[in-house]
Amino acid sequence: MSEMHVLLVHGFGGSGPWHWQQWLSGRLNELGVTCEMPRLPKQDQPVLQEWLAVLRSRLEDVPAESELVVAAHSCGAALWLHHAATIHGTARRADRVLLVAPPGPDWRHPDVHGITPYPVDAHALRRAAGSTRMVVGTGDPYLSVQDGHYLAETMRVALDVIPDGEHLNTDAGYGPWPAVLRWVSHGTTPVADRFETPPQTGGAAPSTFRLV
């Protein structure tokens, strides 16, 4: 069985210490899985060609016999779409890719150069990876659920929608995200963290807890 190599691609501004990508990296390292999250240049003022150069360099360094899994967040997901649309036929192909909370098609920021708008090319995604999945949260200020469905349908990829997931970042509580660890490890479908209130029993006050 081939070894796994996981590449995490951060977004605009990077992934802070409590971000799910940092948590995932730590958990995978504990499990003995090779995982890297390169610091992309000028993360607060990204330039497409500079980010692409680093991404492609890291992809080329992954051993050919390794299973390559990519999990990209926000502008990192947009970066992967640029990469997929512009690679040549001999480029290193990922086995599985997860695109988490990409910015919407109309999103712009004065400090982000060339990353949006991004190409939406179903054939390119199939050249770049064996399978691609996208996950978005409702309430995301940068991507409406309607736009998320449009992107998934256009790219012909599976879509998971997490209620109240927002931008699926630290501010939204992601954070530890066991479902993505399961997806990376086994290829299973990402599942939302769910907040539920159990019924009152014996006059006890209800409490809120997280199921993962």
Side-chain angles (χ1 to χ4, degrees):
M1 183 176 180
S2 63
E3 294 186 357
M4 181 182 294
H5 190 112
V6 180
L7 179 63
L8 305 178
V9 187
H10 69 69
F12 175 38
S15 295
W18 308 112
H19 194 280
W20 64 266
Q21 288 183 317
Q22 299 286 1
W23 174 85
L24 180 61
S25 177
R27 291 292 293 117
L28 290 170
N29 287 330
E30 291 172 2
L31 295 170
V33 176
T34 300
C35 178
E36 60 173 326
M37 183 167 62
R39 183 182 176 89
L40 299 173
K42 294 189 290 190
Q43 61 184 15
D44 294 320
Q45 293 182 311
V47 177
L48 173 61
Q49 293 305 321
E50 295 177 3
W51 275 28
L52 267 178
V54 173
L55 173 64
R56 288 174 172 171
S57 175
R58 294 305 179 97
L59 290 170
E60 290 171 1
D61 288 341
V62 177
E65 64 274 11
S66 296
E67 179 186 11
L68 173 57
V69 178
V70 178
H73 180 252
S74 193
C75 282
L79 176 67
W80 182 263
L81 296 177
H82 281 285
H83 163 73
T86 56
I87 56 174
H88 54 74
T90 59
R92 179 63 160 91
R93 191 171 188 251
D95 292 279
R96 291 183 284 120
V97 173
L98 186 67
L99 304 177
V100 179
D106 299 323
W107 181 82
R108 302 289 185 276
H109 192 285
D111 292 330
V112 177
H113 307 286
I115 292 175
T116 58
Y118 45 79
V120 180
D121 186 332
H123 296 293
L125 286 177
R126 280 153 182 75
R127 289 196 304 269
S131 67
T132 302
R133 191 171 203 97
M134 188 167 74
V135 55
V136 301
T138 65
D140 189 335
Y142 313 116
L143 176 72
S144 69
V145 172
Q146 180 180 359
D147 282 342
H149 280 286
Y150 163 77
L151 288 174
E153 290 171 3
T154 303
M155 296 188 297
R156 300 177 190 172
V157 301
L159 174 68
D160 297 292
V161 178
I162 298 181
D164 302 319
E166 300 179 17
H167 196 49
L168 300 171
N169 57 4
T170 306
D171 290 342
Y174 298 81
W177 196 356
V180 170
L181 176 61
R182 291 193 294 271
W183 177 86
V184 168
S185 301
H186 308 296
T188 53
T189 302
V191 181
D193 284 353
R194 298 169 300 177
F195 294 90
E196 297 183 358
T197 302
Q200 297 187 44
T201 57
S207 59
T208 301
F209 61 97
R210 173 176 286 190
L211 298 175
V212 293

